Amino acid sequence: MARIIVVTSGKGGVGKTTTSAAIAMGLAKKGHKTAVIDFDVGLRNLDLILGCERRVVYDFINVINGEASINQALIRDKNCNLLYILPASQTRDKDALTQEGVGKVLEELSKEFAYIVCDSPAGIEKGANLALYFADDAFVVTNPEISSVRDSDRMLGILSSKSRRAERNEEPIKEYLLLTRYDSDRVRSGEMLSLDDVQEILSLDLLGIIPESKSVLSASNAGIPVILDEKSEAGQAYTDVVARYLGEKRPHRFIDGKQGFLRRLFGGRK
Amino acid sequence: MSLLDYFRLSKPKTASLAKERLQILVAHERSHRNQPSYLPQLQRELLEVIRKYVNVDQNAISVNFEQDENQETLELNIVLPDYQQANKGLNN
């Protein structure tokens, strides 16, 4: 049986797809056969972040409609042979995504994979609801920013009431916080909500802080998940996240940022 | 704290402003989230019944649901109009 993870946020642009690609790659690199599914029907992007956009032949909707088998639609990642991508459909209408269809695909994938990562679209529409419906774990991606925190809180409400686990009165979805685009300099100067501020409101199990990092854009430009950039802080932060999710104890990093003596004295900015 | 931070103290800290606004907003939204789903319909139907007898305004009735660890409270608040006005309204 696979463990199903939904990467969700409510708000757009906070780093859901970046996170989905990174953690799926991280899990696969750790030796777990992992599938990552793009639920953003009509606006697929995960294929770009994973650099497989030119290898898309069939998509999620094709599989749901029975026009292709799962094995025909799954794309094996070029960097890791335990990672497979199921791309979203680019053109068809959103109603093609049905609860029954999604359930069948997940059930079939569960037989073969250890982890299934569902990359949720933004918003609280059908695609987002279906991405979380079957989940066992939720990675709530949040920016230290007022609208993102509010939307995350909203998603927590939906996770606890609109999922299959909620409907069946099973153990609720395990919710984790991923605080992304964190700028410790701005936190220090009082311009940005701190980890503690966000946790005072959301109080979730913290999987990790991903610092604001130029390497995220470079990684998307190249179509290589940022977790493979071992030199970058964001890459290391995602590696920590995967390790913690798998049960390893690792101290949290990137809360205080880099602090040289002169920076501490003069409070210099990057 | 760095030297520059010391001089920055005079500037308003917008992050604490954001936190305060969020705390109020989130508390409000959570209290609504836990309301039973029948509440809006209950409110509509109660309004219809009351309007058979008193000419009250749509906004003159409020239904609040509160939940704490020990009990759930359903609070119904109806603001009756001025007696004469109400009669006038019904005669029309």
Side-chain angles (χ1 to χ4, degrees):
Chain A
M1 254 328 252
R3 194 87 188 156
I4 301 174
I5 302 168
V6 60
V7 177
T8 185
S9 70
K11 192 175 179 300
V14 297
K16 281 182 300 296
T17 301
T18 299
T19 298
S20 300
I23 60 158
M25 175 63 81
L27 288 165
K29 280 271 170 193
K30 285 267 190 184
H32 305 286
K33 195 171 180 191
T34 303
V36 55
I37 307 176
D38 191 346
F39 273 78
D40 205 345
V41 172
L43 291 169
R44 87 167 163 235
N45 278 321
L46 182 68
D47 53 333
L48 286 172
I49 304 301
L50 284 159
C52 65
E53 70 277 8
R54 296 176 62 172
R55 290 158 62 207
V56 175
V57 182
Y58 295 109
D59 59 52
F60 196 11
I61 303 290
N62 289 137
V63 178
I64 287 175
N65 291 345
E67 295 150 359
S69 73
I70 284 189
N71 287 327
Q72 283 177 304
L74 282 174
I75 304 166
R76 181 188 277 200
D77 186 81
K78 60 189 177 204
N79 294 301
C80 181
N81 60 12
L82 287 177
L83 177 61
Y84 290 79
I85 300 117
L86 185 53
S89 162
Q90 185 64 303
T91 50
R92 317 250 190 128
D93 78 307
K94 286 188 178 171
D95 292 331
L97 214 55
T98 61
Q99 184 167 304
E100 195 196 351
V102 173
K104 272 187 193 161
V105 172
L106 289 177
E107 200 182 319
E108 205 173 328
L109 287 172
S110 281
K111 293 175 196 157
E112 232 188 294
F113 288 87
Y115 291 98
I116 301 169
V117 178
C118 302
D119 181 21
S120 171
I124 48 174
E125 302 288 317
K126 198 173 183 184
N129 285 326
L130 282 176
L132 69 84
Y133 184 76
F134 297 95
D136 301 304
D137 299 310
F139 289 13
V140 180
V141 181
T142 307
N143 288 170
E145 182 268 327
I146 191 161
S147 52
S148 175
V149 177
R150 180 206 207 167
D151 288 359
S152 292
D153 189 68
R154 191 80 198 280
M155 285 316 297
L156 294 176
I158 294 173
L159 282 166
S160 62
S161 62
K162 302 266 168 72
S163 67
R164 183 170 67 171
R165 281 172 174 268
E167 281 177 8
R168 291 182 176 178
N169 272 323
E170 293 171 356
E171 195 186 326
I173 296 177
K174 179 88 186 80
E175 299 154 346
Y176 297 97
L177 174 66
L178 237 94
L179 199 54
T180 54
R181 308 200 68 165
Y182 197 78
D183 185 334
S184 50
D185 284 341
R186 303 194 75 184
V187 169
R188 208 174 303 126
S189 62
E191 293 171 69
M192 182 181 267
L193 290 168
S194 69
L195 168 66
D196 290 344
D197 291 341
V198 174
Q199 280 293 53
E200 230 177 274
I201 288 156
L202 299 181
S203 33
L204 292 173
D205 205 340
L206 178 69
L207 266 186
I209 294 161
I210 315 296
E212 174 77 61
S213 166
K214 288 182 178 167
S215 53
V216 173
L217 181 58
S218 314
S220 333
N221 288 343
I224 300 165
V226 71
I227 196 169
L228 294 179
D229 183 353
E230 288 162 13
K231 287 192 194 111
S232 76
E233 290 193 334
Q236 294 168 19
Y238 276 118
T239 305
D240 284 358
V241 163
V242 172
R244 287 191 197 103
Y245 175 70
L246 293 174
E248 233 175 273
K249 291 260 181 288
R250 290 196 183 188
H252 285 288
R253 296 195 272 169
F254 312 113
I255 300 175
D256 299 322
K258 283 185 220 141
Q259 274 209 347
F261 169 74
L262 281 177
R263 278 169 61 98
R264 220 175 311 151
L265 191 60
F266 296 107
R269 297 283 313 273
K270 260 182 243 169
Chain B
M1 184 184 288
S2 74
L3 271 177
L4 271 186
D5 280 343
Y6 180 77
F7 293 113
R8 283 200 196 115
L9 275 182
S10 52
K11 276 195 200 167
K13 305 285 189 195
T14 52
S16 53
L17 206 61
K19 187 177 148 193
E20 272 171 44
R21 290 173 64 208
L22 264 173
Q23 279 170 327
I24 295 166
L25 187 67
V26 165
H28 178 76
E29 287 178 347
R30 281 182 189 162
S31 68
H32 277 253
R33 188 189 300 161
N34 295 330
Q35 284 180 350
S37 55
Y38 58 74
L39 218 57
Q41 196 180 349
L42 176 70
Q43 182 160 356
R44 266 196 307 278
E45 286 179 16
L46 280 172
L47 187 68
E48 274 169 34
V49 172
I50 290 162
R51 272 186 166 171
K52 280 186 190 167
Y53 303 97
V54 194
N55 185 24
V56 290
D57 189 61
Q58 181 95 36
N59 302 320
I61 176 169
S62 69
V63 181
N64 278 316
F65 181 83
E66 273 175 38
Q67 200 172 20
D68 59 36
E69 279 161 25
N70 301 320
Q71 56 185 358
E72 295 170 346
T73 318
L74 188 66
E75 183 188 273
L76 179 64
N77 209 337
I78 306 155
V79 181
L80 291 175
D82 205 9
Y83 181 69
Q84 285 191 338
Q85 263 188 345
N87 278 341
K88 228 189 272 171
L90 275 184
N91 290 338
N92 280 344

